[in-house]
Amino acid sequence: MTKTISNTGKLSWGQKLAYSSGSLTNNLLPAALGVFMFFLVTGFGMDPFLAGLLGGIPRFFDALTDPIMGYITDNSRTGWGRRRPYIFVGAIVTGILFILLWQMSPENGQTFNFWYFLVMSLLYITGNTIFSTPFIGLGYEMSDDYNERTRLMGITNTIGQIAWMIVPWFWALISNPDYIFATQVEGVRKLSIVVAALCIITGIMPAIFCKEPPLPDDGKERPGITMAGMWSVVKDVFKNLGEVFTNRPFLRLCVATFLVYNGFQMVASFANYIIVYYMFNGDYSLANNWLTWEWVPTLFRSASAWFATVQAIITAFMVIPVVTWMAGKWGKKQAFVISTVISIVGYVMKWWGFSPENPWLMFLPLPLMSFGMGGLFTLMMSMTADVCDLDELKNGLPRKESQFGAVYWWMVKMGQSLALVLGGAILKWVAFDQNAAIQTPETLTQLRLADIIVPAGSAFIAIFVMLGYNLTEGKMKEIKAQLEEKRKQY
């Protein structure tokens, strides 16, 4: 029996890098899935409405599996720990299922492909849940040091940004038959194998090399998870979820994330439309061959792809280190407020940055805009780890890192689905015509205003939500001391 809370020492670089490698899997799979879904319509011939269903239905299934997996991993006791076995198996299963998901043929017919893709999506989501839920929980518990948690999440978020540097170029690789793949279908099939292999390799790293901290124990006997006791498990899941949803600091984190992340996601695709239709007057050829330098391969001349890639590079190597430093200097809440204010300034600067006269100016707002996403997940994941300490103080053991993580990321996923719907509604409201090569000046003006007002406005509201967050470094030291005293009584 141990009385420690978790790993009280600072983490080695090896431990941080081993854990962070799993973040590449956690980011690359959904990022690649988002690109590949486009070719479900253009390559495999799926009806757009059915393709939309295939994108949305698994989200609702995800809402059921995440909290259940969170409960399972939080309450598991194995010789290899309560996280690592699931991470190892989940990474392999997820990679294999991602490959199988895309091994369809247009000749099979739309009905067959719809049901094949739906069933495989549900299996893939299950495999991904087995990996991602305990992976997130492991990150929350690897250190109980207030600032070390932020440093860990900063490195994790940096490695995760590599996915967003790579993925923008998938579209060009798959869509152009002059590059590697003869058809879009061949491109999706073969590239899915490459993506899955990379994700399996990086996904198993945390399971092999990360150390799980010793489990705190209150001496109480707890029944295992069995089929005969499933009703008790179900009741326990809902009891724990009730405790999660009544944790006020955690709710502030969820609401603020929903506002910042989904305000950004709602207009995320607008940059592509503005680049093509405003900066290049509807000429895709010009937009895709913007860099005219002869030494640059044709594949790497796309203005839209460079915009997304440069943003990911700035986020990874400039913004995240600065945000991590700010959190250590002034506290996590203050770092969030400062980062969000900076991002709002960046959003406003897009009005001048997207310039038909000088396309290079589109990179001008990126260092400021990137503080929004770069600061958000670095800080929010660190603060969720703090929330888990508060929950243990209030509600006792077992700790619920994975259940907090499951609820947090389920909220992100569901919000993203809503953001996609609302983003489409905004395009319709501004009278964007996808069949017209040239949009009206009124449409372009309204589109550019929405691209600024939506993310800036939601981020501004998120600042006020977080003003009441009270888990400061001093407060967390008090909670840690109280937990240590509480354990002495076990």
Side-chain angles (χ1 to χ4, degrees):
M1 182 185 302
T2 179
K3 304 295 190 296
T4 58
I5 296 173
S6 68
N7 183 4
T8 56
K10 292 187 176 180
L11 301 173
S12 68
W13 269 98
Q15 286 287 289
K16 292 175 183 176
L17 291 175
Y19 178 76
S20 299
S21 67
S23 181
L24 184 57
T25 299
N26 221 26
N27 281 270
L28 185 55
L29 284 172
L33 183 67
V35 174
F36 290 176
M37 286 295 291
F38 174 85
F39 298 102
L40 194 61
V41 176
T42 61
F44 293 94
M46 188 68 65
D47 179 88
F49 174 75
L50 295 179
L53 289 179
L54 291 174
I57 292 174
R59 296 290 187 190
F60 292 99
F61 182 70
D62 210 13
L64 299 175
T65 58
D66 279 3
I68 293 173
M69 188 63 217
Y71 178 87
I72 291 173
T73 181
D74 282 341
N75 290 274
S76 292
R77 301 292 185 270
T78 76
W80 299 277
R82 58 177 182 163
R83 315 287 189 202
R84 294 165 64 210
Y86 297 115
I87 294 171
F88 185 86
V89 173
I92 296 172
V93 170
T94 302
I96 293 172
L97 289 171
F98 187 79
I99 295 172
L100 295 176
L101 180 65
W102 296 102
Q103 303 311 306
M104 299 183 298
S105 172
E107 288 74 26
N108 290 335
Q110 182 170 263
T111 301
F112 176 87
N113 283 342
F114 174 84
W115 288 107
Y116 174 89
F117 194 89
L118 179 60
V119 172
M120 292 305 302
S121 290
L122 298 180
L123 292 174
Y124 162 76
I125 285 291
T126 303
N128 188 245
T129 298
I130 293 172
F131 165 78
S132 64
T133 303
F135 168 73
I136 292 167
L138 176 63
Y140 292 156
E141 69 183 0
M142 284 181 67
S143 174
D144 68 346
D145 183 89
Y146 178 83
N147 290 311
E148 188 71 356
R149 286 169 169 171
T150 306
R151 288 189 283 266
L152 172 63
M153 295 310 169
I155 296 170
T156 299
N157 203 5
T158 296
I159 299 298
Q161 287 297 316
I162 295 175
W164 304 103
M165 301 175 199
I166 299 172
V167 165
W169 305 100
F170 283 3
W171 190 89
L173 271 175
I174 297 171
S175 63
N176 195 321
D178 296 330
Y179 293 146
I180 300 175
F181 308 113
T183 66
Q184 293 180 3
V185 170
E186 179 190 347
V188 170
R189 284 175 176 169
K190 292 184 176 179
L191 203 53
S192 69
I193 297 173
V194 176
V195 169
L198 177 60
C199 288
I200 289 174
I201 293 171
T202 57
I204 64 175
M205 292 295 109
I208 296 174
F209 296 108
C210 285
K211 298 176 182 178
E212 290 193 32
L215 288 173
D217 190 354
D218 57 4
K220 295 180 181 179
E221 187 72 23
R222 290 186 174 84
I225 301 174
T226 64
M227 291 303 295
M230 282 308 294
W231 176 240
S232 296
V233 169
V234 171
K235 290 192 295 183
D236 211 13
V237 168
F238 280 100
K239 171 180 173 292
N240 289 351
L241 288 177
E243 293 172 352
V244 168
F245 279 108
T246 54
N247 188 305
R248 290 183 179 274
F250 179 66
L251 291 180
R252 289 186 182 276
L253 300 183
C254 288
V255 173
T257 300
F258 184 91
L259 289 166
V260 174
Y261 180 69
N262 294 304
F264 171 83
Q265 284 294 323
M266 207 179 301
V267 299
S269 64
F270 288 13
N272 294 327
Y273 295 126
I274 294 171
I275 289 171
V276 172
Y277 289 95
Y278 177 68
M279 293 173 56
F280 292 94
N281 202 32
D283 192 327
Y284 276 88
S285 178
L286 285 176
N288 289 331
N289 292 280
W290 163 60
L291 280 181
T292 55
W293 302 329
E294 291 184 2
W295 58 272
V296 177
T298 305
L299 171 63
F300 298 107
R301 295 182 177 182
S302 168
S304 297
W306 274 115
F307 183 82
T309 299
V310 170
Q311 183 169 13
I313 292 173
I314 291 173
T315 300
F317 301 114
M318 187 194 84
V319 170
I320 293 174
V322 171
V323 169
T324 303
W325 175 83
M326 288 195 301
K329 184 74 172 178
W330 299 307
K332 299 174 189 179
K333 181 177 78 172
Q334 288 78 2
F336 171 81
V337 172
I338 295 170
S339 298
T340 307
V341 169
I342 293 173
S343 72
I344 291 173
V345 176
Y347 291 134
V348 173
M349 286 179 61
K350 283 196 288 185
W351 183 261
W352 298 275
F354 287 124
S355 169
E357 291 76 25
N358 187 359
W360 286 98
L361 290 177
M362 67 180 173
F363 298 116
L364 184 64
L366 288 184
L368 302 182
M369 286 172 51
S370 300
F371 273 87
M373 292 300 102
L376 181 70
F377 290 116
T378 299
L379 296 168
M380 291 301 182
M381 291 186 69
S382 178
M383 286 191 275
T384 302
D386 297 337
V387 164
C388 293
D389 286 351
L390 175 64
D391 175 74
E392 184 191 345
L393 183 63
K394 289 185 175 181
N395 300 309
L397 298 174
R399 289 172 64 89
K400 298 191 282 289
E401 286 94 348
S402 285
Q403 287 168 92
F404 275 99
V407 171
Y408 180 86
W409 286 101
W410 167 78
M411 179 275 308
V412 170
K413 295 170 189 175
M414 293 301 292
Q416 186 176 21
S417 298
L418 177 62
L420 293 174
V421 174
L422 294 178
I426 292 174
L427 285 176
K428 187 174 182 63
W429 177 72
V430 301
F432 180 85
D433 185 355
Q434 69 274 23
N435 297 315
I438 298 177
Q439 305 296 323
T440 67
E442 293 79 9
T443 292
L444 291 175
T445 297
Q446 291 173 356
L447 186 65
R448 294 174 63 210
L449 286 173
D451 189 45
I452 295 170
I453 293 172
V454 171
S458 59
F460 185 75
I461 298 172
I463 292 174
F464 284 92
V465 171
M466 285 300 294
L467 290 180
Y469 180 83
N470 62 354
L471 295 185
T472 62
E473 183 174 7
K475 179 70 172 178
M476 289 310 303
K477 288 181 179 178
E478 293 177 9
I479 290 174
K480 181 178 178 180
Q482 289 176 301
L483 285 175
E484 289 173 348
E485 287 298 319
K486 190 175 182 180
R487 291 245 170 74
K488 292 177 181 178
Q489 302 172 14
Y490 296 155

